[in-house]
Amino acid sequence: VSPQPNVYDFSFLSPCPTSGLVVYGKKDELVPGEYINELNKRLSAQKGIKVEFQAIAEANHFFSKSENTLVKSLNKYIKKETALY
C-alpha cells in the first residue's frame, strides 16, 4: 500500500518472490505517477509472478477519506486469492 519507489530502492523485489497486490492513490502527493508506472513495468516483466497494481482514484498517499475503498479493494483481492486454494 502506497509504495514510494521515488524514495526507496525496490530492487529487493527483483526477482519478485511472489505475486501480490500494490494499491496506490491517484492523488498521491508524495509519489509522482511515473514512479509507480516504472515499478509496475519492472515487476510485470518478470515471469511466473503477477503483481497487480490498483489505483484508487480519489485517494491521497495516506488514503485519507478513502479508507473504506482501500479496505474493499484489499478484501476483494484476498477473497479472490484465497478462493484459489
Side-chain angles (χ1 to χ4, degrees), residues 16-29:
C16 194
T18 187
S19 298
L21 173 67
V22 172
V23 183
Y24 63 97
K26 276 286 216 185
K27 294 185 176 180
D28 191 322
E29 65 280 14

Side-chain angles (χ1 to χ4, degrees), residues 27-59:
K27 294 185 176 180
D28 191 322
E29 65 280 14
L30 300 178
V31 182
E34 62 264 17
Y35 288 93
I36 298 293
N37 293 336
E38 179 59 33
L39 181 60
N40 187 357
K41 218 185 309 183
R42 282 189 292 161
L43 295 179
S44 66
Q46 298 179 78
K47 295 181 190 231
I49 61 117
K50 182 175 185 340
V51 178
E52 295 179 34
F53 278 70
Q54 221 172 72
I56 296 182
E58 296 302 315

